[in-house]
Amino acid sequence: MAGAVPVTLVTGPSAGAREAAIAALLDGAASSDGFSAVILEGLAAGTTLIPDDAPVRLVRLAPGCVCCTGNLVLRVTLNRLLRQGPERLFIGVASSEHLDQLRSWLQDAPYDQLLALNPTLYV
């Protein structure tokens, strides 16, 4: 991996709005060589707007707090994706209740050397 992977946390109560926001960001900066990784909490709200094809690696986690009950699953998923070398990463979470804890956790070792957190997108 060449440098820290830019990470954008996307939160909001509507799964459709979170996916639409991430899909718009994916369309805005397509790359021919690399790929973007997307981790979404919960199931798709109908048809997903995010393509799961070559330039995008989409992973869905079971609904629930990714900070508390889903912490281990998020870590394993994140580690697997980072080993593949994404150009950027989006994490969509339903609740902003523990967002500060999640941001803090992503800024601790070893992720402090691997990730560059962007401002959170609230939808």
Side-chain angles (χ1 to χ4, degrees), residues 5-15 17-23 25-26 36-42 50 56-62 64-68 70-71 73-82 86-96 98-107 111 114-123:
V5 177
V7 178
T8 302
L9 300 176
V10 180
T11 187
S14 164
R18 290 190 307 272
E19 288 189 30
I22 293 171
L25 293 169
L26 288 170
S36 297
V38 179
I39 300 173
L40 293 174
E41 174 198 352
I50 300 173
V56 178
R57 304 257 166 81
L58 173 62
V59 178
R60 290 191 180 275
L61 303 179
C65 181
V66 293
C67 177
C68 300
N71 187 296
V73 174
L74 177 60
R75 283 182 190 266
V76 169
T77 301
L78 182 57
N79 291 345
R80 285 180 179 163
L81 285 171
L82 288 175
E87 285 184 345
R88 59 201 173 141
L89 171 67
F90 299 94
I91 302 175
V93 295
S95 173
S96 61
H98 296 148
L99 205 53
D100 289 340
Q101 285 179 288
L102 178 59
R103 286 186 71 79
S104 174
W105 173 75
L106 292 171
Q107 291 173 320
Y111 302 112
L114 303 172
L115 304 174
L117 285 175
N118 293 327
T120 300
L121 179 59
Y122 295 90
V123 296

